[in-house]
Amino acid sequence: MIATFVAATMAMAAPALAQQQLSVATGGTGGVYYPMGGGLAEIINNHVEGYAATAEVTGASVENMGLIATGDADIAIGLADTVQQGYSGTGRFEGQQLPMLRAMGVAYANMVQIVALEDSGITSLQDLVGKRVSIGAPGSGTEVNAEQILGANGITYDDIEEQRLNFNETADALANGDIDAGFWSVGAPTSSILNLATTSSIVMIELSEEELAAADAANPVFAVTSLAGGTYEGVPEDIAVIGVPNVLVVSSEMSDDLVYAITSAMFENIAELQAVHPAANQTTVELALSASPIPLHPGAIRYFEEIGATVPDDLRP
Protein backbone atom coordinates (compact mmCIF):
# COMPACT_ATOMS: atom_id res chain seq x y z
CA MET A 1 0.00 0.00 0.00
CA ILE A 2 2.84 2.36 0.84
CA ALA A 3 4.50 1.64 -2.50
CA THR A 4 1.22 2.26 -4.30
CA PHE A 5 0.72 5.56 -2.45
CA VAL A 6 4.26 6.75 -3.26
CA ALA A 7 3.87 5.83 -6.91
CA ALA A 8 0.53 7.64 -7.13
CA THR A 9 1.96 10.70 -5.39
CA MET A 10 4.91 10.82 -7.80
CA ALA A 11 2.60 10.47 -10.78
CA MET A 12 0.51 13.40 -9.60
CA ALA A 13 3.60 15.50 -8.85
CA ALA A 14 5.31 14.81 -12.19
CA PRO A 15 3.37 17.38 -14.25
CA ALA A 16 4.11 20.07 -11.67
CA LEU A 17 7.81 19.31 -11.88
CA ALA A 18 7.95 19.22 -15.69
CA GLN A 19 9.46 22.26 -17.35
CA GLN A 20 7.97 23.80 -20.45
CA GLN A 21 10.47 23.87 -23.30
CA LEU A 22 11.25 27.10 -25.16
CA SER A 23 13.15 27.37 -28.43
CA VAL A 24 15.43 30.34 -29.14
CA ALA A 25 16.05 30.75 -32.90
CA THR A 26 19.51 32.18 -33.54
CA GLY A 27 21.75 31.79 -36.61
CA GLY A 28 24.90 29.94 -37.61
CA THR A 29 27.57 28.93 -35.11
CA GLY A 30 30.11 31.28 -36.70
CA GLY A 31 28.19 34.44 -35.81
CA VAL A 32 27.00 36.21 -32.66
CA TYR A 33 23.33 35.18 -32.73
CA TYR A 34 24.14 31.66 -31.55
CA PRO A 35 26.19 32.55 -28.45
CA MET A 36 23.80 35.41 -27.60
CA GLY A 37 20.82 33.11 -27.97
CA GLY A 38 22.58 30.49 -25.90
CA GLY A 39 23.26 33.07 -23.20
CA LEU A 40 19.61 34.12 -23.16
CA ALA A 41 18.53 30.47 -22.97
CA GLU A 42 20.80 29.98 -19.97
CA ILE A 43 19.31 33.02 -18.23
CA ILE A 44 15.84 31.55 -18.78
CA ASN A 45 17.01 28.19 -17.42
CA ASN A 46 18.47 29.82 -14.32
CA HIS A 47 15.95 32.55 -13.58
CA VAL A 48 12.53 31.79 -15.12
CA GLU A 49 10.82 29.16 -13.03
CA GLY A 50 9.09 26.34 -14.87
CA TYR A 51 10.82 26.87 -18.22
CA ALA A 52 13.83 25.38 -19.98
CA ALA A 53 15.21 26.99 -23.13
CA THR A 54 17.52 25.80 -25.90
CA ALA A 55 19.30 27.84 -28.57
CA GLU A 56 18.71 26.49 -32.08
CA VAL A 57 21.00 26.89 -35.11
CA THR A 58 19.04 28.45 -38.01
CA GLY A 59 19.49 30.38 -41.23
CA ALA A 60 19.08 33.58 -39.17
CA SER A 61 16.82 36.61 -39.57
CA VAL A 62 14.43 35.80 -42.44
CA GLU A 63 13.99 32.18 -41.42
CA ASN A 64 13.63 33.17 -37.77
CA MET A 65 10.64 35.39 -38.45
CA GLY A 66 8.92 32.48 -40.17
CA LEU A 67 9.68 30.25 -37.19
CA ILE A 68 7.99 32.72 -34.85
CA ALA A 69 4.99 32.96 -37.18
CA THR A 70 4.53 29.18 -37.34
CA GLY A 71 5.15 28.67 -33.64
CA ASP A 72 8.27 26.58 -34.27
CA ALA A 73 10.33 29.03 -32.21
CA ASP A 74 9.34 30.97 -29.11
CA ILE A 75 12.02 33.68 -29.19
CA ALA A 76 14.10 34.75 -32.18
CA ILE A 77 16.84 37.21 -33.01
CA GLY A 78 16.52 39.19 -36.23
CA LEU A 79 17.94 42.21 -37.98
CA ALA A 80 15.72 45.25 -37.53
CA ASP A 81 15.10 45.76 -41.25
CA THR A 82 14.16 42.10 -41.75
CA VAL A 83 11.88 42.21 -38.70
CA GLN A 84 10.20 45.37 -39.98
CA GLN A 85 9.69 43.81 -43.42
CA GLY A 86 8.10 40.75 -41.84
CA TYR A 87 5.76 42.85 -39.70
CA SER A 88 4.70 45.07 -42.61
CA GLY A 89 4.69 42.42 -45.34
CA THR A 90 7.26 44.21 -47.49
CA GLY A 91 10.62 43.35 -49.05
CA ARG A 92 11.44 39.68 -48.53
CA PHE A 93 7.97 39.21 -47.00
CA GLU A 94 5.95 40.76 -49.83
CA GLY A 95 2.50 39.17 -49.72
CA GLN A 96 3.12 37.29 -46.47
CA GLN A 97 2.71 39.83 -43.67
CA LEU A 98 3.48 38.57 -40.15
CA PRO A 99 1.39 40.86 -37.91
CA MET A 100 1.99 38.67 -34.85
CA LEU A 101 5.63 39.76 -34.50
CA ARG A 102 6.36 41.67 -31.29
CA ALA A 103 9.65 42.96 -29.87
CA MET A 104 10.87 41.94 -26.45
CA GLY A 105 13.86 44.25 -26.74
CA VAL A 106 16.91 45.06 -28.86
CA ALA A 107 19.97 42.94 -28.22
CA TYR A 108 22.78 44.87 -29.93
CA ALA A 109 23.75 46.38 -33.29
CA ASN A 110 25.24 44.40 -36.13
CA MET A 111 28.05 45.80 -38.21
CA VAL A 112 28.12 45.01 -41.91
CA GLN A 113 31.68 43.82 -42.40
CA ILE A 114 33.04 43.17 -45.91
CA VAL A 115 36.20 41.08 -45.86
CA ALA A 116 38.73 40.07 -48.50
CA LEU A 117 42.25 38.68 -48.36
CA GLU A 118 45.07 41.19 -48.56
CA ASP A 119 46.49 39.72 -51.77
CA SER A 120 43.12 39.88 -53.57
CA GLY A 121 43.66 43.46 -54.71
CA ILE A 122 40.16 44.37 -53.49
CA THR A 123 40.18 47.67 -51.63
CA SER A 124 36.76 49.19 -52.37
CA LEU A 125 33.13 48.27 -52.84
CA GLN A 126 33.36 48.87 -56.58
CA ASP A 127 36.23 46.36 -56.76
CA LEU A 128 33.64 43.63 -56.05
CA VAL A 129 32.29 43.94 -59.61
CA GLY A 130 33.16 40.76 -61.52
CA LYS A 131 34.29 38.97 -58.35
CA ARG A 132 33.05 35.91 -56.46
CA VAL A 133 31.26 37.30 -53.42
CA SER A 134 29.51 35.55 -50.54
CA ILE A 135 26.38 37.53 -49.70
CA GLY A 136 25.42 35.43 -46.67
CA ALA A 137 23.39 32.32 -45.97
CA PRO A 138 20.00 31.94 -47.67
CA GLY A 139 17.33 33.47 -45.46
CA SER A 140 19.81 35.55 -43.47
CA GLY A 141 19.82 39.23 -42.63
CA THR A 142 23.32 39.37 -44.13
CA GLU A 143 21.86 38.52 -47.54
CA VAL A 144 19.24 41.27 -47.15
CA ASN A 145 21.83 43.85 -46.07
CA ALA A 146 24.33 42.90 -48.78
CA GLU A 147 21.72 43.35 -51.51
CA GLN A 148 20.65 46.72 -50.05
CA ILE A 149 24.19 48.10 -49.75
CA LEU A 150 25.24 46.89 -53.18
CA GLY A 151 22.03 48.08 -54.84
CA ALA A 152 22.22 51.51 -53.23
CA ASN A 153 25.62 51.89 -54.86
CA GLY A 154 24.72 50.69 -58.33
CA ILE A 155 25.87 47.07 -58.04
CA THR A 156 23.43 44.23 -58.77
CA TYR A 157 23.85 40.47 -58.55
CA ASP A 158 24.34 40.55 -62.33
CA ASP A 159 27.60 42.40 -61.65
CA ILE A 160 29.05 39.81 -59.27
CA GLU A 161 29.21 36.03 -58.97
CA GLU A 162 27.15 35.77 -55.80
CA GLN A 163 27.39 32.81 -53.45
CA ARG A 164 25.13 32.19 -50.48
CA LEU A 165 27.36 30.90 -47.70
CA ASN A 166 27.04 31.08 -43.93
CA PHE A 167 29.72 32.78 -41.86
CA ASN A 168 31.97 29.75 -41.33
CA GLU A 169 31.60 28.70 -44.97
CA THR A 170 32.46 32.23 -46.12
CA ALA A 171 35.62 32.28 -43.98
CA ASP A 172 36.68 28.85 -45.24
CA ALA A 173 35.99 29.79 -48.87
CA LEU A 174 38.10 32.94 -48.52
CA ALA A 175 40.96 31.00 -46.93
CA ASN A 176 40.81 28.39 -49.69
CA GLY A 177 40.62 30.92 -52.54
CA ASP A 178 37.15 29.78 -53.59
CA ILE A 179 35.70 33.30 -53.30
CA ASP A 180 37.17 36.79 -53.43
CA ALA A 181 35.18 38.61 -50.73
CA GLY A 182 32.39 38.05 -48.25
CA PHE A 183 29.73 39.98 -46.35
CA TRP A 184 29.09 39.55 -42.65
CA SER A 185 26.21 41.38 -40.96
CA VAL A 186 27.04 40.45 -37.40
CA GLY A 187 28.19 41.80 -34.07
CA ALA A 188 31.89 42.43 -33.67
CA PRO A 189 34.07 40.62 -33.00
CA THR A 190 32.74 37.43 -34.56
CA SER A 191 34.55 34.12 -34.27
CA SER A 192 34.62 33.28 -37.99
CA ILE A 193 36.47 36.49 -38.91
CA LEU A 194 38.69 36.25 -35.82
CA ASN A 195 39.76 32.75 -36.84
CA LEU A 196 40.29 33.75 -40.48
CA ALA A 197 42.45 36.71 -39.45
CA THR A 198 44.76 34.47 -37.43
CA THR A 199 45.56 32.26 -40.43
CA SER A 200 45.29 34.73 -43.34
CA SER A 201 46.06 38.40 -43.93
CA ILE A 202 42.69 40.11 -44.31
CA VAL A 203 41.44 43.53 -45.36
CA MET A 204 38.19 45.12 -44.23
CA ILE A 205 36.58 46.96 -47.14
CA GLU A 206 35.55 50.46 -46.07
CA LEU A 207 32.78 52.26 -47.91
CA SER A 208 33.40 55.85 -48.96
CA GLU A 209 31.40 58.67 -47.38
CA GLU A 210 29.22 58.78 -50.48
CA GLU A 211 28.65 55.02 -50.43
CA LEU A 212 27.81 55.08 -46.71
CA ALA A 213 25.34 57.91 -47.29
CA ALA A 214 23.70 56.07 -50.20
CA ALA A 215 23.32 52.89 -48.13
CA ASP A 216 22.04 54.84 -45.13
CA ALA A 217 19.40 56.51 -47.29
CA ALA A 218 18.27 53.16 -48.70
CA ASN A 219 17.22 51.71 -45.37
CA PRO A 220 15.70 53.67 -42.45
CA VAL A 221 17.17 51.32 -39.82
CA PHE A 222 20.74 51.66 -41.12
CA ALA A 223 23.15 53.87 -39.18
CA VAL A 224 26.79 54.66 -39.82
CA THR A 225 28.98 53.41 -36.99
CA SER A 226 32.61 52.50 -36.38
CA LEU A 227 34.40 49.17 -36.14
CA ALA A 228 37.23 49.79 -33.69
CA GLY A 229 40.76 49.31 -34.93
CA GLY A 230 42.39 46.19 -33.51
CA THR A 231 39.13 44.26 -33.35
CA TYR A 232 40.68 41.87 -35.85
CA GLU A 233 44.32 41.07 -36.48
CA GLY A 234 45.55 42.99 -39.51
CA VAL A 235 42.89 45.72 -39.25
CA PRO A 236 44.59 48.36 -37.06
CA GLU A 237 42.51 51.43 -38.00
CA ASP A 238 38.91 52.31 -37.18
CA ILE A 239 36.62 51.43 -40.09
CA ALA A 240 33.33 53.21 -40.84
CA VAL A 241 30.61 50.60 -41.39
CA ILE A 242 26.85 50.30 -41.63
CA GLY A 243 25.21 49.32 -38.35
CA VAL A 244 21.88 47.49 -37.98
CA PRO A 245 20.07 46.80 -34.66
CA ASN A 246 19.19 43.21 -33.76
CA VAL A 247 15.74 42.68 -32.28
CA LEU A 248 14.57 40.01 -29.85
CA VAL A 249 11.23 38.88 -31.28
CA VAL A 250 8.35 36.89 -29.80
CA SER A 251 4.79 36.22 -30.92
CA SER A 252 1.83 38.29 -29.80
CA GLU A 253 0.38 34.93 -28.73
CA MET A 254 2.99 34.46 -25.99
CA SER A 255 1.53 35.22 -22.57
CA ASP A 256 2.18 38.61 -21.03
CA ASP A 257 3.41 36.95 -17.84
CA LEU A 258 6.00 34.84 -19.65
CA VAL A 259 7.36 37.73 -21.74
CA TYR A 260 7.49 39.87 -18.59
CA ALA A 261 9.41 37.12 -16.76
CA ILE A 262 11.93 36.65 -19.59
CA THR A 263 12.43 40.40 -20.15
CA SER A 264 12.91 40.96 -16.43
CA ALA A 265 15.30 38.01 -16.10
CA MET A 266 17.42 39.21 -19.03
CA PHE A 267 17.83 42.81 -17.93
CA GLU A 268 18.18 42.02 -14.23
CA ASN A 269 20.92 39.47 -14.99
CA ILE A 270 22.50 41.19 -17.98
CA ALA A 271 26.02 40.57 -16.63
CA GLU A 272 25.52 36.87 -17.35
CA LEU A 273 24.81 37.66 -21.01
CA GLN A 274 27.75 40.07 -21.19
CA ALA A 275 30.01 37.29 -19.94
CA VAL A 276 28.97 35.19 -22.95
CA HIS A 277 29.70 37.87 -25.59
CA PRO A 278 30.77 41.54 -25.40
CA ALA A 279 27.99 42.50 -27.85
CA ALA A 280 25.63 42.25 -24.87
CA ASN A 281 27.24 45.40 -23.46
CA GLN A 282 24.85 47.15 -25.87
CA THR A 283 21.78 45.35 -24.48
CA THR A 284 20.07 48.16 -22.63
CA VAL A 285 16.54 49.36 -22.01
CA GLU A 286 17.47 52.61 -23.76
CA LEU A 287 18.42 50.73 -26.96
CA ALA A 288 15.22 48.68 -26.76
CA LEU A 289 13.09 51.80 -26.59
CA SER A 290 14.94 53.73 -29.28
CA ALA A 291 15.71 51.15 -31.96
CA SER A 292 12.81 48.70 -32.15
CA PRO A 293 11.20 48.72 -35.62
CA ILE A 294 7.99 46.99 -34.44
CA PRO A 295 5.67 47.30 -31.41
CA LEU A 296 6.78 45.86 -28.10
CA HIS A 297 4.99 42.93 -26.49
CA PRO A 298 2.76 44.03 -23.58
CA GLY A 299 4.78 41.81 -21.24
CA ALA A 300 7.96 43.72 -22.11
CA ILE A 301 6.13 47.04 -21.76
CA ARG A 302 5.06 46.01 -18.26
CA TYR A 303 8.70 45.48 -17.26
CA PHE A 304 9.94 48.72 -18.82
CA GLU A 305 7.22 50.75 -17.14
CA GLU A 306 7.80 48.98 -13.82
CA ILE A 307 11.41 50.24 -13.79
CA GLY A 308 10.30 53.77 -14.67
CA ALA A 309 11.11 53.87 -18.38
CA THR A 310 8.94 55.84 -20.79
CA VAL A 311 7.60 53.69 -23.61
CA PRO A 312 6.99 55.65 -26.84
CA ASP A 313 3.42 55.52 -28.15
CA ASP A 314 4.56 54.09 -31.49
CA LEU A 315 5.97 51.02 -29.71
CA ARG A 316 2.63 50.12 -28.12
CA PRO A 317 0.68 47.42 -29.99
Side-chain angles (χ1 to χ4, degrees):
M1 290 178 62
I2 294 174
T4 302
F5 175 79
V6 171
T9 303
M10 291 178 65
M12 289 187 292
L17 295 174
Q19 290 186 309
Q20 185 170 333
Q21 296 294 315
L22 298 176
S23 171
V24 183
T26 64
T29 57
V32 177
Y33 280 14
Y34 186 69
M36 286 285 282
L40 177 58
E42 198 61 26
I43 285 175
I44 293 170
N45 295 337
N46 293 335
H47 302 287
V48 180
E49 187 174 352
Y51 290 88
T54 304
E56 309 289 351
V57 175
T58 72
S61 298
V62 176
E63 180 182 341
N64 289 354
M65 296 307 99
L67 293 172
I68 291 291
T70 59
D72 291 313
D74 301 290
I75 305 168
I77 309 175
L79 282 167
D81 52 349
T82 304
V83 173
Q84 193 278 331
Q85 287 178 8
Y87 180 74
S88 61
T90 58
R92 294 292 296 273
F93 295 89
E94 189 74 44
Q96 49 180 344
Q97 184 178 8
L98 308 178
M100 76 295 294
L101 301 182
R102 295 290 183 271
M104 188 174 71
V106 176
Y108 64 97
N110 268 15
M111 295 184 183
V112 182
Q113 301 158 66
I114 310 171
V115 179
L117 297 190
E118 192 173 44
D119 60 6
S120 67
I122 297 173
T123 60
S124 71
L125 191 68
Q126 296 301 320
D127 287 341
L128 298 181
V129 172
K131 300 297 195 299
R132 302 163 299 172
V133 182
S134 172
I135 56 171
S140 69
T142 295
E143 182 183 4
V144 174
N145 292 161
E147 183 174 17
Q148 291 168 330
I149 291 171
L150 291 169
N153 288 286
I155 302 173
T156 71
Y157 287 167
D158 291 336
D159 300 318
I160 62 173
E161 185 181 327
E162 81 275 11
Q163 297 191 28
R164 291 171 172 80
L165 307 175
N166 67 30
F167 294 148
N168 285 332
E169 291 169 341
T170 298
D172 289 344
L174 278 169
N176 296 332
D178 296 327
I179 61 173
D180 302 300
F183 279 78
W184 275 259
S185 185
V186 66
T190 187
S191 61
S192 45
I193 300 179
L194 283 170
N195 294 337
L196 176 66
T198 62
T199 58
S200 305
S201 297
I202 69 168
V203 292
M204 190 73 63
I205 308 305
E206 185 170 23
L207 276 63
S208 67
E209 288 187 14
E210 293 77 12
E211 289 168 338
L212 287 167
D216 191 31
N219 187 328
V221 305
F222 280 172
V224 178
T225 187
S226 181
L227 174 69
T231 299
Y232 301 111
E233 187 173 339
V235 187
E237 305 295 332
D238 291 356
I239 301 289
V241 297
I242 290 292
V244 193
N246 287 290
V247 187
L248 292 166
V249 178
V250 295
S251 170
S252 59
E253 298 299 313
M254 185 179 280
S255 77
D256 292 3
D257 288 344
L258 178 54
V259 176
Y260 168 82
I262 296 171
T263 307
S264 174
M266 180 178 72
F267 283 107
E268 298 302 316
N269 299 280
I270 196 63
E272 295 180 21
L273 197 57
Q274 292 166 344
V276 172
H277 198 283
N281 289 318
Q282 301 179 46
T283 309
T284 63
V285 172
E286 291 74 22
L287 183 65
L289 297 178
S290 65
S292 176
I294 62 172
L296 293 165
H297 192 285
I301 291 174
R302 188 205 305 178
Y303 171 74
F304 295 142
E305 290 185 333
E306 185 179 90
I307 62 172
T310 300
V311 177
D313 288 342
D314 63 349
L315 293 186
R316 297 180 183 274

